[in-house]
Amino acid sequence: MMKHIHLSLAHMSGKEEEFIHEAFLTNWVVPLGPNVDGFENDLAAWLGEKSASPLHVVALSSGTAAIHLALVMLGVGPGDEVICQSFTFAASANPIVYQGATPVFVDSEPGTWNMDPELLRQAIDDRLRATGKLPKAIIPVHLYGTPARMDEINSVASAYGIPVVEDAAEALGSEYNGRYCGTFGTYGALSFNGNKMITTSGGGALICPNEESARRVKFYATQARENFPYYQHEQIGYNYRLSNISAGIGRGQMYVLDEHIARRRAIHALYVEKLKNTPGITVMQPRSNVDLHPNYWLSTILVNPQEAGFTWQELSARLTAADIESRPLWKPMHLQPVFAKAPAYVNGVSEALFAQGLCLPSGPMVTDEDVDRVVEIIKN
Ligand SMILES: *Cc1c(COP(=O)(O)O)cnc(C)c1O
């Protein structure tokens, strides 16, 4: 029997159960509690090692909730537009619509597959002409863990005074110019869903600009309950806090985070090495004028059917037949029926990537032998 090779399976440190057990013993089987504080501190300390100033991290129920609360904090509402990278997962864009605002999609540049800073500038100018207003926020994404061109994106954003919400859901541990992704925008969103870099079974976090904003995010995440002896509400709130049990899993996962990053990078390096000079197959390796250290959350390839002699769909079917998971690249948001009416600034990059791309098994449980099996199928 051949072993089933997963795309991105979670992997436990073994410490998770201790934190969960402790929560049960101390009867903290409720939202909030010591594991939530502990997990927030762990994240802030870990990310803070490459940050000039202390970080303010709020643990939330999902990465989607984190992006949503960032938009709430920035005052995004009906009639507003928010620019979002088109080449991403729908969770980057959905919260814009939750706020009654309109997403405006901007295409990618080929070096990082992320938001094209020049197209971003054109989009902002054009929105200003079309609506008389500036977009309320900009959401770049570090897709597959490859850092977006943050210096250029931030300089365009600051030239117009527009805040940036970094979608770093796939990019925990990725470095751009010696700093961690998620710490470049006004807000940075992380995800701890089952297949991300670390998991809390479901969860996320928002990296906030200061103590006061972090306090405010916690307030919105706990139904916007005012500080009164009775239940007083002056704002619309959300039930978005991470549970103490989930946070316990997160605390345990912090013990394997470095290991997971190292393993995913090693898997990517193996694919690069073993697939070099394979006709029609290109392993994604970002090009940039700054120092990039992607976490390689997922290793991805492009399949040129003329040169390879097969399409990514055919390759994917062969992998499936061999009990190996693969996945197409994200379908750009400007091609999604649900966003058909949203303004989009496109240059063909994300459409070309979507037409040729495939994600390969990349999780920390993938062994060198598993990579060999995947490579064998690609080469034959
Ligand atoms: C996973 C993901 C999210 C959402 O995170 P959840 O925790 O699943 O809500 C947002 N953006 C991107 C790019 C993602 O991959």
Side-chain angles (χ1 to χ4, degrees), residues 62-64 67 88-89 91-92 141 143 167 169-170 191 193 196 203 330:
S62 70
T64 311
I67 297 168
T88 188
F89 177 46
S92 308
V141 185
L143 213 62
D167 182 344
E170 301 176 358
S191 168
N193 207 336
K196 297 286 161 72
W330 300 120

